């Protein structure tokens, strides 16, 4: 099986190219940002396979080197709810 390359999302003039959200709940912020960008189904189709790897580069949140695990879990949950299948593996 070969991986497909060059995935692009069609431009939609009614949606922003970037979402900026603020708050204290990382999972809620991830949900809000994805929704503002058109929802997870804009990016993930039913039957899509995904693999998510968390990279841990620093040891302190202030270093901004780690992806918040609540954000990762929320995006994986959204992908799964959209009908994708995959796995999460920490490194």
């Amino acid at each position: 099986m070969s991986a497909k390359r060059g995935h692009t999302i069609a431009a939609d003039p009614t949606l922003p190219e970037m979402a900026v959200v603020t708050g204290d709940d990382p999972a809620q912020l991830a949900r809000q940002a994805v929704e503002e960008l058109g929802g997870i189904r804009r990016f993930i189709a039913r039957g899509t396979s995904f693999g998510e790897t968390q990279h841990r580069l620093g040891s302190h949140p202030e270093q901004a080197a780690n992806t918040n695990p609540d954000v990762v879990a929320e995006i994986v949950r959204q992908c799964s709810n959209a009908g994708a299948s995959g796995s999460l593996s920490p490194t």
Side-chain angles (χ1 to χ4, degrees), residues 51-59 64-69 72 88-91:
E52 177 61 40
T53 303
Q54 269 190 285
H55 296 284
R56 298 181 184 274
L57 302 174
S59 58
N66 294 332
T67 303
N68 185 300
V72 174
L88 174 65
S89 61
T91 60

Side-chain angles (χ1 to χ4, degrees), residues 51-86:
E52 177 61 40
T53 303
Q54 269 190 285
H55 296 284
R56 298 181 184 274
L57 302 174
S59 58
H60 303 286
E62 298 80 24
Q63 293 174 314
N66 294 332
T67 303
N68 185 300
D70 294 337
V71 171
V72 174
E74 177 60 26
I75 298 302
V76 168
R77 186 188 67 75
Q78 286 192 29
C79 290
S80 295
N81 287 347
S85 62

Side-chain angles (χ1 to χ4, degrees), residues 13-65:
T14 66
L15 295 171
E17 292 183 10
M18 179 175 63
V20 177
V21 294
T22 59
D24 296 325
D25 182 346
Q28 175 60 33
L29 294 172
R31 282 190 295 276
Q32 184 180 347
V34 169
E35 196 57 38
E36 286 184 20
L37 294 170
I40 197 69
R41 287 198 169 98
R42 180 171 179 222
F43 304 96
I44 302 293
R46 180 170 297 285
T48 300
S49 295
F50 68 91
E52 177 61 40
T53 303
Q54 269 190 285
H55 296 284
R56 298 181 184 274
L57 302 174
S59 58
H60 303 286
E62 298 80 24
Q63 293 174 314

